[in-house]
Amino acid sequence: MKELSTEEKIVQAAKEVFTQKGYAAARTDEIAVRAGVNKGLLQYYFKGKSKEKLFKAIFEEAFLKMITRINVIFESEDTVEHKIELALDAYFDLLLENPNLPGFIVNELHTNIHAFVEEIMQKPNRPNPMPLLMQIMEEAAQGKIRPINPVHLILNVLSMTVFPFIARPLFQRLVNVDDATFMDMMRQRKAEILDFVKHAIKP
Amino acid sequence: MKELSTEEKIVQAAKEVFTQKGYAAARTDEIAVRAGVNKGLLQYYFKGKSKEKLFKAIFEEAFLKMITRINVIFESEDTVEHKIELALDAYFDLLLENPNLPGFIVNELHTNIHAFVEEIMQKPNRPNPMPLLMQIMEEAAQGKIRPINPVHLILNVLSMTVFPFIARPLFQRLVNVDDATFMDMMRQRKAEILDFVKHAIKP
DNA sequence: CACAGTTTTACCCAAATGGGTAATTTTAGG
DNA sequence: CCTAAAATTACCCATTTGGGTAAAACTGTG
């Protein structure tokens, strides 16, 4: 099972610590401990500004993971409804595997202390919502779906999908469910959202 | 306009810094600077563990603000649909005035380094979703609304309301809107969500 | 004015932290 | 077996940070 190289173990540990605690609260010592190695190796593999280097790599990966999935909504040549279904598939796959990715990203974007975030934002992966926006308006005009503000529709789908993972700690305490139960609920949720949206946009 | 006592100015500044940067990244120096006073005064007004004391006070207030609003959804003696409308009113009022409250709370709950958070959670204000859950099922049984999982319905409303404020930095960069425009969009959004939900739960 | 309360100034300290190095030992492949 | 790469050990240092103090200066009010 564990066939990770030391470097990979370090990256993996850094991912855990950064995504759980955020940059400011992350401790390089803890990264080393979780990786099962000593601090010296962080220097060995990431010479110079090891904390920052690790963070950059991890944040960029996480960010691209999240952001490129949005493109799924736009790329296909399908109906609005089916595009939403595909988007939900893609996003829930990602989120169930990486439950604390969104919280991490949102957190670091909120406390915008990292200048390089700007660079990442300008990368080629920028999603272009325009085609889908237009398509929603077209289908609305054709009476295929109910007239609706397309920006808010997209935002609605994204909100219902991502928010529970961000509010997970709060939610779990309020309704008193353990991790496994939470994950089960989220697996159900995909179908619930699709159902909800379908009815909401039905003419 | 500015009739704040020094102590209030400090609390206000602390609120800004904590909600923007989170506990770990918050610097007491910055709090003093923003309050327009010197660090000595933090000791004068909050002797002993000033950072922690300030944080506790601020977090608890913020948390209760957010959490007690949820009760609006449950308390009234109304139809489900109208309860949702009232909840949206209450929540949008709060969010438009305190746009970075949810991000702050979610962030601090995520990096659960503060033991006292547990205490706060156990306070009398705990919302009890059961009545509304039952009511949703009743109305569904009576055919007043479409059959729907009540937990997910509530989560849907909350998600669509709160998420945009949490994802605000990301959203604003992706669609390139300034602060004023964002706030305008959010003001429209309340009506959009209500409309969306109404159609989604219509039998 | 006198005086208590407030604010500033100018320091200090201990601990934590990120970053780093040099020597040594362990490990695996040729 | 021998060697280079990998990993460990045991340090060090500069900086930041939270926390703190004591004395001086300022302020308003009785």
Side-chain angles (χ1 to χ4, degrees), chain A residues 6 9-10 13 29-39 41:
Chain A
T6 301
K9 278 193 290 186
I10 291 174
D29 282 13
E30 192 181 347
I31 293 175
V33 170
R34 283 218 211 182
V37 301
N38 54 52
K39 237 177 47 168
L41 276 197

Side-chain angles (χ1 to χ4, degrees), chain B residues 6 36-38 40-41 44-45:
Chain B
T6 301
V37 301
N38 54 50
L41 277 197
Y44 184 76
Y45 285 106

Side-chain angles (χ1 to χ4, degrees), chain A:
Chain A
M1 198 72 187
K2 272 194 174 183
E3 288 305 328
L4 293 175
S5 72
T6 301
E7 189 172 356
E8 286 168 332
K9 278 193 290 186
I10 291 174
V11 172
Q12 185 56 39
K15 205 178 291 184
E16 287 175 27
V17 176
F18 278 130
T19 55
Q20 278 169 27
K21 316 221 167 179
Y23 182 83
R27 301 287 168 246
T28 50
D29 282 13
E30 192 181 347
I31 293 175
V33 170
R34 283 218 211 182
V37 301
N38 54 52
K39 237 177 47 168
L41 276 197
L42 300 198
Q43 299 299 325
Y44 185 75
Y45 286 107
F46 302 91
K47 292 194 209 301
K49 306 273 178 190
S50 45
K51 185 180 183 183
E52 227 178 281
K53 275 189 181 174
L54 278 167
F55 178 79
K56 272 192 191 183
I58 284 155
F59 182 85
E60 181 159 9
E61 191 202 318
F63 183 79
L64 291 180
K65 256 189 189 171
M66 289 294 296
I67 223 63
T68 54
R69 291 294 173 113
I70 293 182
N71 288 330
V72 176
I73 308 182
F74 310 135
E75 279 165 6
S76 75
E77 277 297 332
D78 231 321
T79 63
V80 167
E81 186 180 310
H82 199 233
K83 276 190 184 181
I84 290 174
E85 189 171 354
L86 292 175
L88 286 175
D89 283 341
Y91 245 85
F92 270 93
D93 279 355
L94 176 69
L95 289 169
L96 287 170
E97 269 178 41
N98 311 275
N100 44 13
L101 228 51
F104 169 61
I105 291 171
V106 150
N107 181 356
E108 296 300 335
L109 283 178
H110 188 64
T111 72
N112 59 329
I113 42 179
H114 309 289
F116 72 90
V117 167
E118 301 296 336
E119 303 167 29
I120 298 177
M121 298 291 294
Q122 310 304 346
K123 285 284 172 66
N125 293 68
R126 288 204 92 207
N128 175 21
M130 282 310 294
L132 181 57
L133 291 180
M134 301 296 285
Q135 190 186 356
I136 292 170
M137 292 197 289
E138 280 170 27
E139 288 198 13
Q142 294 164 8
K144 290 181 180 175
I145 63 175
R146 190 171 63 79
I148 188 171
N149 182 318
V151 175
H152 288 291
L153 171 56
I154 295 175
L155 203 46
N156 286 348
V157 175
L158 208 60
S159 297
M160 291 187 284
T161 305
V162 179
F163 177 76
F165 289 90
I166 295 181
R168 178 180 174 181
L170 179 58
F171 177 75
Q172 285 200 39
R173 285 172 219 235
L174 282 182
V175 300
N176 232 353
V177 292
D178 58 37
D179 291 358
T181 312
F182 175 80
M183 284 303 184
D184 279 343
M185 293 184 65
M186 288 306 111
R187 270 182 281 272
Q188 282 179 34
R189 188 164 170 73
K190 183 168 72 175
E192 292 281 346
I193 294 175
L194 184 60
D195 200 47
F196 194 78
V197 175
K198 272 186 186 174
H199 282 87
I201 66 177
K202 201 165 50 184

Side-chain angles (χ1 to χ4, degrees), chain B:
Chain B
M1 199 71 188
K2 272 195 173 182
E3 289 305 329
L4 293 175
S5 72
T6 301
E7 190 172 355
E8 286 169 333
K9 278 193 290 187
I10 291 174
V11 171
Q12 185 57 39
K15 204 178 293 185
E16 287 175 27
V17 176
F18 278 130
T19 55
Q20 278 169 27
K21 315 221 167 178
Y23 183 82
R27 302 286 168 247
T28 51
D29 283 12
E30 191 181 347
I31 293 175
V33 170
R34 283 217 210 181
V37 301
N38 54 50
K39 237 178 45 167
L41 277 197
L42 299 199
Q43 299 298 326
Y44 184 76
Y45 285 106
F46 302 90
K47 291 196 209 301
K49 307 273 178 189
S50 45
K51 186 181 181 180
E52 229 178 278
K53 275 189 182 174
L54 278 167
F55 179 79
K56 273 193 190 183
I58 284 154
F59 183 84
E60 180 159 9
E61 191 203 318
F63 184 78
L64 291 181
K65 255 188 189 172
M66 288 294 296
I67 223 63
T68 54
R69 292 292 174 114
I70 292 183
N71 288 330
V72 176
I73 309 183
F74 311 134
E75 280 165 6
S76 75
E77 278 296 332
D78 231 322
T79 64
V80 168
E81 186 180 310
H82 199 234
K83 276 190 183 180
I84 290 174
E85 188 171 355
L86 292 175
L88 286 174
D89 283 340
Y91 245 85
F92 269 93
D93 280 354
L94 176 69
L95 289 169
L96 288 169
E97 268 177 41
N98 310 275
N100 44 13
L101 228 52
F104 170 60
I105 292 171
V106 151
N107 181 356
E108 296 300 334
L109 283 178
H110 188 64
T111 72
N112 59 330
I113 43 179
H114 309 288
F116 72 92
V117 168
E118 301 297 334
E119 304 168 27
I120 298 177
M121 298 290 294
Q122 311 302 345
K123 284 284 172 63
N125 292 68
R126 289 203 92 209
N128 176 20
M130 281 311 293
L132 182 57
L133 291 180
M134 302 296 285
Q135 190 186 356
I136 291 170
M137 291 196 289
E138 280 170 25
E139 288 197 14
Q142 294 164 8
K144 290 181 181 174
I145 62 174
R146 191 171 62 80
I148 189 171
N149 182 318
V151 175
H152 288 291
L153 171 56
I154 295 175
L155 202 46
N156 287 347
V157 176
L158 208 60
S159 298
M160 290 188 285
T161 305
V162 180
F163 177 77
F165 289 90
I166 295 181
R168 180 180 174 183
L170 179 58
F171 177 76
Q172 284 200 40
R173 284 172 218 234
L174 282 183
V175 300
N176 233 353
V177 292
D178 58 38
D179 290 358
T181 312
F182 175 80
M183 285 303 185
D184 279 343
M185 293 183 64
M186 288 306 111
R187 269 182 282 272
Q188 282 178 35
R189 188 163 170 73
K190 183 168 72 174
E192 293 281 347
I193 294 175
L194 184 59
D195 199 47
F196 194 78
V197 175
K198 272 185 185 174
H199 282 86
I201 65 177
K202 201 165 50 184

